Amino acid sequence: MNVEVDAIERVLKNATEALESSKFHIYEIGEAARQEQEALATELQRVMEELDDTITAVDKLEEQYRRARVRLVEVSRDFKRYGEKDIREAYENATQLQLSLSMSREKESNLKAKRDELQKRIRSIDRTIERAEALFSQMNVVLEYLSGDLGQVTRILESAKNRQMLGLKIILAQEEERRRIAREIHDGPAQSMANLILRTDIAERMLAKGELGVVKEELADLKRNVRTELEEVRKIIFNLRPMTLDDLGLVPTIRKFTQDYEEKTKIRTKFELRGRERRLSSGMEVALFRLVQESLTNVAKHADATHVTVDMAFLSDAAVRVVVADNGVGFDIARWESKVAAGGASFGLVGMRERVELLEGTFKIDSNVNAGTKITIEVPMGDGTKEDMNHA
């Protein structure tokens, strides 16, 4: 172990030295970019001032040239009043002003192009400075980590590993849920639909033979079967994403789910509501419903319970507390915690705790062998709380 620690320390030392050197070079790049930015800004200011003067001069020359052309037309038409000398002077004056105006316009165009180029270069240098500052800051963070004690680095790596394992468990749980849904659809609606198609074929043959009474009975039976399967499909859809969450909110959705849960599992289920009912943000309502759903699913799978209660309390406007308690077989909390520390616990409760922590809430388990289990979840409502249900 000491050899491994020494090797890691050497690697960290070499990495730190390389980063320090790179950080110095990045600092030099940033400083050079700032100096160039200042020089370009000074040049841009000079060009802008010269451009303003040129635009003013162009405007003045345009007015003078317009008057010169008017003068030239005037003397060219009135031969009685103006002589050849007047015409020549008017022509030369207009020509000279036209030349000056052309040169000034070209100068204005060149200055605008130079201004645009300088502005483009300044924006590019600004991005270079921003990237250099970001890299410099990131390197400082990395160096701070690397400069810490080896135990701290080990803990960081272990934390990253745990997060990766949690991510993998989430993916596996999602895949398991997809398989479960696929089985439900295959064994339920899909099989029934295939049966319905077969029976409609039989009904068509009977209709062709003129057996109307038998066909009528068959169609009535098919209608009953279709209604039954439609109800099954609705239950599957409800488990995937209860539409009542968006329409009615969290409390009615949980109330309906507990009723369906009792009917399906034959576990006596009681739902209690305390405090003033509030609408929460969509994401919060989905998260809390999934936590209740998973808690009750765990009761059905593992608790061997005959009774379960779901107690939901709105604690003023600050937080929501949900307590799911059953009278099942329970388990040893200390043993479970040791499994969690060793990475051997199942994803169910661990994943629930992680999700509650992501909501900045608290997750508590109280359980003893043969004494049931109580899960307490409390999360802050946050800024997403909507108006109470009476005023929604």
Side-chain angles (χ1 to χ4, degrees), residues 4-19:
E4 293 178 357
V5 171
D6 291 340
I8 293 174
E9 286 180 343
R10 285 196 300 273
V11 171
L12 292 177
K13 182 180 178 181
N14 293 335
T16 301
E17 291 175 353
L19 284 172

Side-chain angles (χ1 to χ4, degrees), residues 100-117:
S100 299
L101 178 60
S102 177
M103 293 175 63
S104 295
R105 283 175 174 168
E106 184 177 358
K107 182 179 180 181
E108 178 185 353
S109 177
N110 291 336
L111 286 171
K112 285 181 177 179
K114 189 171 184 180
R115 176 201 61 190
D116 295 342
E117 177 63 24

Side-chain angles (χ1 to χ4, degrees), residues 264-311:
K264 179 180 179 181
T265 63
K266 308 306 179 185
I267 299 173
R268 190 157 55 91
T269 308
K270 183 179 180 182
F271 174 69
E272 294 183 351
L273 176 66
R274 307 175 193 276
R276 187 179 65 171
E277 184 177 343
R278 307 279 289 182
R279 286 300 303 268
L280 308 177
S281 65
S282 176
M284 181 68 75
E285 289 187 340
V286 171
L288 286 172
F289 171 75
R290 292 303 181 196
L291 290 166
V292 172
Q293 184 184 40
E294 189 161 353
S295 298
L296 291 177
T297 301
N298 287 338
V299 172
K301 284 182 177 179
H302 309 297
D304 195 19
T306 60
H307 181 265
V308 61
T309 61
V310 179
D311 188 307

Side-chain angles (χ1 to χ4, degrees), residues 84-255:
E84 183 180 344
K85 180 180 178 183
D86 295 325
I87 295 173
R88 185 172 63 252
E89 288 177 354
Y91 176 77
E92 289 176 352
N93 184 43
T95 302
Q96 183 60 38
L97 286 171
Q98 185 183 26
L99 179 61
S100 299
L101 178 60
S102 177
M103 293 175 63
S104 295
R105 283 175 174 168
E106 184 177 358
K107 182 179 180 181
E108 178 185 353
S109 177
N110 291 336
L111 286 171
K112 285 181 177 179
K114 189 171 184 180
R115 176 201 61 190
D116 295 342
E117 177 63 24
L118 287 170
Q119 289 175 338
K120 183 178 178 181
R121 288 175 62 188
I122 288 174
R123 286 194 297 269
S124 177
I125 290 175
D126 286 341
R127 289 192 295 269
T128 300
I129 293 173
E130 288 176 3
R131 286 195 293 268
E133 289 176 346
L135 282 172
F136 192 81
S137 176
Q138 290 167 3
M139 284 192 167
N140 279 333
V141 172
V142 174
L143 284 169
E144 185 176 345
Y145 277 120
L146 293 180
S147 299
D149 60 284
L150 186 59
Q152 177 68 17
V153 174
T154 304
R155 284 192 293 274
I156 293 169
L157 295 174
E158 186 66 28
S159 175
K161 181 181 178 182
N162 290 338
R163 284 196 295 270
Q164 183 185 38
M165 290 301 297
L166 177 62
L168 290 173
K169 286 181 178 179
I170 290 173
I171 292 172
L172 290 174
Q174 290 174 336
E175 288 302 314
E176 179 60 31
E177 182 66 10
R178 290 189 179 101
R179 281 195 293 269
R180 183 190 67 79
I181 294 168
R183 283 196 302 271
E184 282 189 10
I185 295 174
H186 178 270
D187 297 339
Q191 295 285 355
S192 297
M193 288 178 184
N195 183 48
L196 290 173
I197 292 172
L198 178 61
R199 292 178 65 179
T200 54
D201 289 339
I202 295 173
E204 284 180 351
R205 294 192 192 101
M206 290 178 179
L207 186 62
K209 293 178 181 179
E211 300 178 11
L212 297 180
V214 178
V215 171
K216 185 177 180 180
E217 292 178 2
E218 186 70 17
L219 289 177
D221 192 34
L222 286 174
K223 187 176 181 180
R224 286 192 295 272
N225 288 340
V226 168
R227 283 177 176 170
T228 301
E229 292 310 316
L230 180 59
E231 186 62 28
E232 287 298 317
V233 171
R234 283 174 176 166
K235 286 181 179 179
I236 293 173
I237 293 172
F238 181 86
N239 288 330
L240 287 174
R241 167 69 185 191
M243 289 180 286
T244 52
L245 268 178
D246 298 320
D247 298 334
L248 302 178
L250 179 63
V251 173
T253 302
I254 292 179
R255 183 176 284 113

Side-chain angles (χ1 to χ4, degrees), residues 335-351:
R335 186 177 178 184
W336 178 78
E337 290 286 0
S338 64
K339 281 187 176 181
V340 171
S346 62
F347 174 69
L349 293 176
V350 178

